[in-house]
Amino acid sequence: MNTTTSQTPEPEGPARPPIRLIQNEATTEIPVHLLFRDEPDPRPVPLGPAVVGSRQGTGEQPRFRRPEPAKPRPIAEVDPALVEQPGRVLPGVAGVAAGTCGAVGCVATSWWAGVLPPLVVEALRLPVYGGAGLGPAQWAAYTGAVALGMFGFGGLARGRTGQAWVLDMFGRYRGTVRRTGLLWVNPLLLRRRVDVRLRHWRSEPMPAADGNGVALRVVALVVWRVRDTARATLGVEDHETYLRECVEAALARIPVEAPGSGRGSVEATGEALTRRVARDAGAIGLEVFAVQPVRVEYAPEVAAAMHRRRIAALDAQHRASVLTSVVDSVEDTVTRLTMRGLVELDDYERKALVKDLTVAFCAGRGEQTP
């Protein structure tokens, strides 16, 4: 009798959690086949609506800012109060008179003190006087006479046509003098001479580019003058340097077409350059009448590349013409030989003859070419 013994399975205890290698850190299992996958998964990935998570603790959805429109570039401005105004001057006669009075005062004080030489007394026909000596009154008279003479003669100036003076006292603008002739200007004022004539400036080769971005070198002729002397002198450190930089910036922004390109005219480019430079330079009191490119050439590196390209094109054209003439000569020779019955050639012999004639003609052409 077979007896079957049934074994009762032992009750299993509660499942133990996996042991973490790093304490207090949660790990995520990643399938191995995803780590070593080289090719993209051919199975389509279902796309679902994007969910934007809410902020912790508030439940408020994040707000997206719309892009703000770009603000226009501000135009350079100078202090609005800095405007040219006429300076206060006197005719030169006033300065001459004041200086003469100072000189006469010095002579009179010397005669009064008795220190005037006898020869000067006789030359001036002054009465003989023993003199009161050099006392406080005499020194005060000397001081006043010398100050009057220096103040009168020191303020004399000559105004020229096409020139102006910008007057400045202790850092404050005091006016502009455009008058000509002999004038008297306060000697305490700082005078800066400014050329207000119509001037032209020929620039050095400046970097530019054409419509395709090819580098160029442009020499520009600028016709300009100083319209507001106060802004041109006090509104910027050096108005001539500022004008040069305005021209260089305009050439960097406006495409200049090379001569012979056929894509634009020099007149249109000059008008565009004139408008931009006049707008930028007008803020400091400069009046620009014309900015014309007088010489446009390719940059050295571009010119070298174009020269090599042109030489290669000419060489290829020459080779093509030589090859065409050689082929025509070979064809004419073979045709004449076969038409007149001088030779009877099969395909192999014809190919060999064409090959030999081609080599001979090309060698002859090569010897003729210098």
Side-chain angles (χ1 to χ4, degrees):
M1 183 174 180
N2 296 330
T3 304
T4 304
T5 305
S6 61
Q7 297 179 357
T8 304
E10 297 179 2
E12 297 180 358
R16 296 181 180 180
I19 301 175
R20 298 177 180 177
L21 299 179
I22 303 177
Q23 298 295 332
N24 300 329
E25 293 291 337
T27 59
T28 304
E29 294 182 358
I30 301 177
V32 178
H33 69 280
L34 295 180
L35 297 176
F36 301 93
R37 184 175 61 182
D38 297 332
E39 299 180 356
D41 192 356
R43 294 176 297 177
V45 180
L47 301 179
V51 179
V52 181
S54 60
R55 298 181 181 178
Q56 297 181 358
T58 60
E60 180 183 357
Q61 296 292 335
R63 299 178 181 179
F64 297 96
R65 296 182 180 179
R66 296 181 178 180
E68 299 180 356
K71 298 181 179 180
R73 184 174 62 90
I75 302 177
E77 296 183 357
V78 188
D79 186 6
L82 188 61
V83 182
E84 180 179 335
Q85 57 186 1
R88 297 180 180 180
V89 294
L90 296 177
V93 179
V96 174
T100 305
C101 291
V104 172
C106 290
V107 173
T109 304
S110 300
W111 175 79
W112 179 27
V115 295
L116 193 66
L119 295 178
V120 177
V121 174
E122 294 179 1
L124 298 177
R125 297 180 181 180
L126 297 176
V128 179
Y129 177 68
L134 292 175
Q138 286 76 15
W139 284 114
Y142 267 127
T143 303
V146 170
L148 181 60
M150 295 180 62
F151 202 75
F153 289 125
L156 293 177
R158 183 180 62 176
R160 299 178 181 179
T161 303
Q163 303 286 336
W165 280 312
V166 176
L167 306 181
D168 180 13
M169 174 179 280
F170 305 119
R172 183 178 179 183
Y173 174 62
R174 292 293 184 177
T176 300
V177 179
R178 290 179 178 261
R179 296 171 57 180
T180 59
L182 186 62
L183 306 173
W184 183 84
V185 185
N186 188 350
L188 300 179
L189 296 175
L190 177 62
R191 291 174 282 184
R192 300 182 183 180
R193 188 180 294 275
V194 182
D195 192 347
V196 295
R197 295 173 294 181
L198 187 66
R199 305 171 64 183
H200 69 278
W201 168 59
R202 185 185 180 95
S203 69
E204 68 278 4
M206 293 185 175
D210 61 0
N212 297 329
V214 179
L216 301 175
R217 291 292 184 271
V218 179
V219 177
L221 179 64
V222 185
V223 181
W224 63 286
R225 72 176 179 182
V226 176
R227 176 172 45 91
D228 193 320
T229 57
R231 293 193 172 189
T233 306
L234 305 177
V236 70
E237 183 177 0
D238 187 357
H239 59 273
E240 295 183 2
T241 303
Y242 182 84
L243 177 62
R244 179 190 178 280
E245 294 176 353
C246 288
V247 174
E248 188 173 0
L251 288 174
R253 290 179 174 270
I254 299 177
V256 180
E257 299 300 337
S261 60
R263 291 189 294 267
S265 60
V266 179
E267 290 76 10
T269 303
E271 291 178 1
L273 291 173
T274 302
R275 287 194 299 269
R276 180 172 290 274
V277 175
R279 185 188 64 180
D280 295 340
I284 63 167
L286 300 184
E287 187 174 5
V288 179
F289 296 96
V291 180
Q292 294 294 334
V294 295
R295 191 178 69 186
V296 181
E297 58 186 12
Y298 289 102
E301 60 275 8
V302 177
M306 293 185 66
H307 180 69
R308 292 193 299 268
R309 187 175 179 181
R310 186 178 297 110
I311 293 298
L314 292 175
D315 187 33
Q317 183 179 1
H318 175 69
R319 290 177 181 272
S321 62
V322 170
L323 182 60
T324 302
S325 63
V326 168
V327 171
D328 292 342
S329 301
V330 170
E331 182 182 6
D332 183 57
T333 303
V334 174
T335 302
R336 288 185 178 185
L337 290 175
T338 55
M339 290 293 293
R340 295 181 181 182
L342 298 177
V343 292
E344 294 181 0
L345 304 173
D346 55 6
D347 293 341
Y348 178 78
E349 293 175 346
R350 180 184 292 274
K351 292 180 179 179
L353 179 60
V354 169
K355 180 179 179 182
D356 295 340
L357 290 175
T358 302
V359 173
F361 287 158
C362 287
R365 296 279 182 156
E367 293 177 358
Q368 295 177 4
T369 303

